[in-house]
Amino acid sequence: MTTSRQAYKIDAEHPGSEVAAETAAAMAAASLVFRSSDPYYSLLLLQHAEQLFEFGDKYRGKYDGSVRVVKSYYPSVSGYYDELLWAALWLHRATGDVKYLDYAVDNAEAFGGTTWAVSEFSWDIKYAGVQVLASKVRPQSPLLLLPAAGEKRCTEERHRKILEVYNSKAEHYVCSCLNKSDGGANVRRTPGGLLFVRQWNNLQYVAGATFLLTAFSDYLSGGGGGGGVLRLPGRVHHRAASTVAYKEDKAFIGCAQGFDVWFGRQKDNPNALVGAIVGGPDAKDEFRDRRSNYMQTEACTYNTAPVVGVFAKFRQLQQKQEKQQQQKQQKQQHLLQGLQPQTSSYK
């Protein structure tokens, strides 16, 4: 591909607190995943997460002010305070160090964590995620263990009060998504029942809501499924999917040629995007399967990522149920063995 792939950076003179803090949060979360299977890599992730958080907090500034080219595509509307809170809470969860909880509590109001009542969760606006994550911190929680000292520290009263406010904001988000908000802040729904936040790539908000509701609930119960017939989009707005595969045609395809020849082609894409989630239907449940209709047919990583988390939770629940079933069967076998008549050696 001949398209320019210029890289940009943030530094002390050109800050980007959103990028630094979001990356810190991702690395802290990933360190939990690899803690048992690859302890060294887990510690490495955590070390860099703490460094990035410190950097993003020390050199504060919006990344689209430093890298102005992104302002037309991914502007930072909510600013960087939500990402700093997001990173602090993930670092607290990963390290158990109370200083990160102190940060999230001390800056809760000033940074909007306990003042923003939102009805969406996206790549830009993290407040709902912050509030749900904070609501999972409980008094006497193992998350308040300090690994260095090995001592347990109870949540101080100031922690308790602020965490309760975080929890109330998380409940606002959940109730809005479930159409149970008393304040009239319910998320709009399509005639078919799909959450609808806005026209451009609406499924990112649906995926985010699914993830946060899964994380917020202590248990999952079966809900009503949507009706209709499953039909996968055939003309996804994605260059690699819409351009002929190299193994089929080894001729060089330049950037302009890929657009002129393949983008406007009135046929389905020659390649399937496995696992991708596109923007989805509009407010009337209508979907125009055209590459030029990028608001509905563009596939984005921030659509798929939350759903991966949901599937991971489902897998965890499945494994738990399988283990419980196995233990139940073993117990029944032991009981049956105990009821079997004993043969006597006496005649």
Side-chain angles (χ1 to χ4, degrees):
M1 185 181 293
T2 57
T3 305
S4 173
R5 294 297 182 187
Q6 182 175 348
Y8 298 89
K9 70 172 183 176
I10 57 172
D11 53 31
E13 289 73 35
H14 306 87
S17 296
E18 303 97 331
V19 175
E22 179 62 37
T23 307
M27 287 185 170
S31 73
L32 294 169
V33 176
F34 291 101
R35 181 165 291 175
S36 58
S37 61
D38 194 338
Y40 173 78
Y41 183 54
S42 174
L43 288 173
L44 185 64
L45 286 169
L46 201 53
Q47 178 185 3
H48 288 311
E50 293 188 282
Q51 292 171 339
L52 281 168
F53 174 73
E54 182 180 354
F55 173 82
D57 188 41
K58 182 177 180 179
Y59 301 103
R60 294 182 184 178
K62 293 176 63 175
Y63 91 110
D64 59 1
S66 298
V67 186
R68 296 186 179 276
V69 69
V70 304
K71 210 173 187 67
S72 300
Y73 302 95
Y74 291 97
S76 180
V77 178
S78 68
Y80 53 80
Y81 286 151
D82 51 339
E83 277 85 7
L84 287 173
L85 293 172
W86 181 241
L89 286 168
W90 273 113
L91 281 166
H92 171 247
R93 190 174 182 88
T95 65
D97 194 331
V98 76
K99 73 178 182 182
Y100 293 115
L101 181 60
D102 287 339
Y103 185 96
V105 167
D106 294 341
N107 294 293
E109 184 173 354
F111 285 12
T114 53
T115 56
W116 276 57
V118 298
S119 299
E120 65 179 82
F121 177 62
S122 68
W123 61 266
D124 179 37
I125 303 177
K126 301 296 191 313
Y127 282 112
V130 168
Q131 292 153 1
V132 168
L133 190 57
S135 71
K136 298 176 78 67
V137 180
R138 293 286 186 269
Q140 308 291 339
S141 169
L143 297 180
L144 298 181
L145 285 173
L146 290 175
E151 63 180 22
K152 193 171 186 179
R153 290 182 55 176
C154 298
T155 306
E156 299 176 16
E157 187 61 25
R158 65 188 183 91
H159 287 163
R160 191 187 309 276
K161 290 181 179 179
I162 298 300
L163 289 173
E164 287 176 354
V165 181
Y166 269 123
N167 185 72
S168 69
K169 298 299 182 182
E171 290 178 349
H172 169 87
Y173 173 80
V174 170
C175 290
S176 296
C177 291
L178 297 177
N179 287 149
K180 296 184 181 295
S181 176
D182 296 329
N186 290 326
V187 178
R188 180 183 174 187
R189 289 181 181 266
T190 68
L194 184 70
L195 294 177
F196 188 83
V197 176
R198 57 179 55 89
Q199 177 72 12
W200 196 330
N201 192 9
N202 181 62
L203 282 187
Q204 68 171 303
Y205 308 107
V206 177
T210 304
F211 173 74
L212 288 188
L213 265 63
T214 302
F216 189 74
S217 60
D218 293 328
Y219 62 92
L220 294 173
S221 58
V229 178
L230 176 64
R231 181 182 180 278
L232 300 178
R235 302 178 187 182
V236 178
H237 182 91
H238 188 276
R239 184 179 292 270
S242 58
T243 306
V244 65
Y246 179 74
K247 65 180 181 180
E248 300 294 335
D249 186 349
K250 294 180 173 54
F252 176 77
I253 300 176
C255 181
Q257 184 184 4
F259 184 87
D260 295 339
V261 176
W262 295 97
F263 179 78
R265 185 168 172 263
Q266 298 302 310
K267 292 183 180 180
D268 286 354
N269 292 348
N271 308 305
L273 278 178
V274 179
I277 299 177
V278 297
D282 61 16
K284 298 180 180 179
D285 289 319
E286 295 176 354
F287 181 80
R288 292 185 301 114
D289 192 4
R290 301 175 185 173
R291 294 182 197 91
S292 58
N293 182 24
Y294 52 84
M295 288 190 179
Q296 291 187 309
T297 61
E298 184 178 17
C300 300
T301 55
Y302 47 80
N303 291 15
T304 306
V307 178
V308 172
V310 175
F311 288 159
K313 180 63 175 180
F314 287 163
R315 177 56 178 160
Q316 182 188 52
L317 290 174
Q318 182 185 31
Q319 290 175 330
K320 183 179 180 180
Q321 291 174 349
E322 290 173 351
K323 184 177 181 180
Q324 290 175 340
Q325 184 64 25
Q326 185 180 24
Q327 291 174 340
K328 182 179 179 180
Q329 291 175 348
Q330 291 175 346
K331 186 176 181 180
Q332 290 175 341
Q333 289 176 353
H334 291 157
L335 288 173
L336 289 173
Q337 290 174 355
L339 293 175
Q340 290 179 355
Q342 300 293 323
T343 58
S344 175
S345 59
Y346 294 100
K347 294 183 180 180

